[in-house]
């Protein structure tokens, strides 16, 4: 694992955007695995700026997102499909037909998960998978305790994730209880992984993910077994690792 220590959120965002840019430049028709949440927002903003300057071309890029809330339509402003359009897809020259995200309105979980696994396979796998990390160590919506061998599946969100994500909703009651998420197996099949983390609330999860035991109770710990993982984290997210003299 390569760990890059960013000064702050902006520095983290620029470093992460640089890594994604390099992927797009080296392989213009690459498959990017994309993530939502507040952590990658700055990364997307930076990519948009470089696109506007003429430094990046997304016309051949394919993008496949990690997850989506079950029950939300793509036009619901809390859906991850909406987030992706707002933060990236509507602002760069990516072809929307080359962007993929689970369909939150499909009630038949088995059908939707199979469809999404087939989408990922048909794309030939993910070249670079961007990940955030939940305060409880989750990646995508793979909550603690879930089997590592899963591909796309329907997840019952934990209370801590519902509480953490409630800040985006008008009312906590509106936070969906279920989500479709690529599984750990799908994530681990990406050729390379870029995890971004910012803030003290991620420090413990990040420490356990990188230096702890590889256990399903810390989903991100499985990343220790992947041979091409880059972590870009700011001072606060790295604070426990630094206190322990590990970096
Ligand atoms: C959600 C998303 C994750 C994300 C996590 C952390 O649960 N499904 O992909 O990593 O939130 O979000 P944030 O970056 O806002 O802390």
């Amino acid at each position: 694992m390569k760990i890059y220590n960013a000064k702050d959120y902006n520095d983290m965002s620029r470093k992460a955007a640089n890594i994604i840019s390099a992927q797009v430049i080296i392989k213009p028709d690459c498959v990017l695995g994309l993530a939502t949440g507040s952590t990658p927002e700055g990364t997307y903003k930076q990519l948009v700026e470089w696109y506007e300057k003429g430094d990046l071309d997304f016309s051949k890029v394919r993008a496949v997102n990690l997850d989506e809330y079950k029950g939300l339509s793509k036009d619901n402003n809390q859906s991850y499909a909406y987030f992706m359009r707002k933060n990236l897809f509507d602002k760069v020259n990516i072809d929307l037909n080359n962007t993929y995200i689970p369909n939150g309105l499909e009630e038949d979980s088995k059908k939707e998960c199979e469809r999404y696994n087939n989408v990922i396979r048909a794309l030939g796998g993910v070249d670079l998978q961007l990940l955030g990390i939940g305060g409880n160590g989750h990646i995508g919506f793979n909550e603690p305790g879930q089997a590592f061998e899963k591909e796309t599946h329907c997840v019952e969100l934990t209370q801590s994730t519902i509480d953490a994500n409630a800040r985006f909703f008008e009312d906590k009651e509106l936070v969906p209880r279920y989500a479709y998420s690529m599984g750990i197996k799908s994530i681990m099949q990406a050729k390379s992984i870029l995890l971004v983390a910012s803030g003290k609330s991620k420090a413990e999860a990040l420490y356990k993910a990188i230096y702890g035991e590889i256990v399903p109770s810390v989903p991100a710990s499985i990343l220790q077994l992947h041979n091409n993982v880059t972590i870009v984290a700011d001072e606060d997210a790295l604070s426990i690792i630094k206190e322990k003299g590990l970096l």
Side-chain angles (χ1 to χ4, degrees):
M1 271 188 189
K2 288 174 280 229
I3 305 174
Y4 293 104
N5 183 356
K7 280 198 299 286
D8 51 25
Y9 180 78
N10 284 340
D11 190 31
M12 179 206 75
S13 302
R14 284 176 66 84
K15 284 183 164 59
N18 264 304
I19 294 168
I20 296 171
S21 299
Q23 174 68 77
V24 172
I25 290 166
I26 291 165
K27 187 176 176 191
D29 63 345
C30 64
V31 177
L32 296 179
L34 296 178
T36 53
S38 35
T39 314
E41 277 179 18
T43 306
Y44 294 142
K45 194 161 172 255
Q46 184 62 77
L47 289 172
V48 170
E49 274 178 37
W50 287 334
Y51 164 75
E52 286 170 349
K53 272 178 65 191
D55 288 349
L56 280 175
D57 177 11
F58 290 87
S59 60
K60 297 199 181 77
V61 168
R62 281 90 46 82
V64 59
N65 262 78
L66 279 172
D67 47 12
E68 178 61 284
Y69 287 114
K70 187 172 180 185
L72 298 192
S73 81
K74 64 182 174 35
D75 297 319
N76 183 305
N77 64 8
Q78 296 307 331
S79 73
Y80 286 166
Y82 187 94
F83 173 102
M84 289 311 302
R85 289 201 305 278
K86 186 174 92 177
N87 286 285
L88 185 68
F89 297 159
D90 284 352
K91 297 182 171 166
V92 299
N93 64 337
I94 197 164
D95 179 348
L96 281 180
N97 293 319
N98 287 336
T99 65
Y100 304 89
I101 193 155
N103 175 8
L105 286 188
E106 177 55 69
E107 285 179 16
D108 184 338
S109 300
K110 191 164 174 278
K111 187 173 157 203
E112 179 55 14
C113 295
E114 272 174 24
R115 183 193 71 83
Y116 208 61
N117 287 332
N118 288 333
V119 164
I120 301 167
R121 267 182 222 116
L123 289 169
V126 172
D127 290 298
L128 174 62
Q129 177 66 57
L130 177 63
L131 293 177
I133 182 168
N136 62 4
H138 75 243
I139 46 178
F141 266 134
N142 292 279
E143 295 282 29
Q146 282 177 45
F148 281 154
E149 66 272 18
K150 283 193 180 161
E151 295 187 283
T152 309
H153 59 296
C154 181
V155 183
E156 181 170 9
L157 303 178
T158 61
Q159 196 56 46
S160 76
T161 297
I162 291 169
D163 293 345
N165 290 356
R167 68 188 192 280
F168 298 112
F169 291 79
E170 267 171 46
D171 186 330
K172 196 164 155 181
E173 291 309 306
L174 296 175
V175 185
R177 269 31 191 174
Y178 292 88
Y180 290 125
S181 180
M182 277 191 205
I184 295 285
K185 183 174 172 188
S186 334
I187 293 171
M188 289 295 280
Q189 283 170 344
K191 295 179 188 94
S192 60
I193 293 176
L194 168 61
L195 185 143
V196 286
S198 169
K200 281 240 176 344
S201 64
K202 304 296 171 70
E204 193 179 347
L206 197 59
Y207 162 66
K208 287 186 180 164
I210 305 176
Y211 295 100
E213 257 185 274
I214 301 170
V215 281
S217 55
V218 184
S221 63
I222 191 76
L223 299 176
Q224 293 175 40
L225 297 181
H226 194 286
N227 66 6
N228 193 348
V229 176
T230 302
I231 293 175
V232 181
D234 66 11
E235 293 281 344
D236 284 344
L238 290 169
S239 55
I240 295 181
I241 293 172
K242 289 189 152 188
E243 269 160 38
K244 293 188 184 282
L246 295 165
L247 193 72

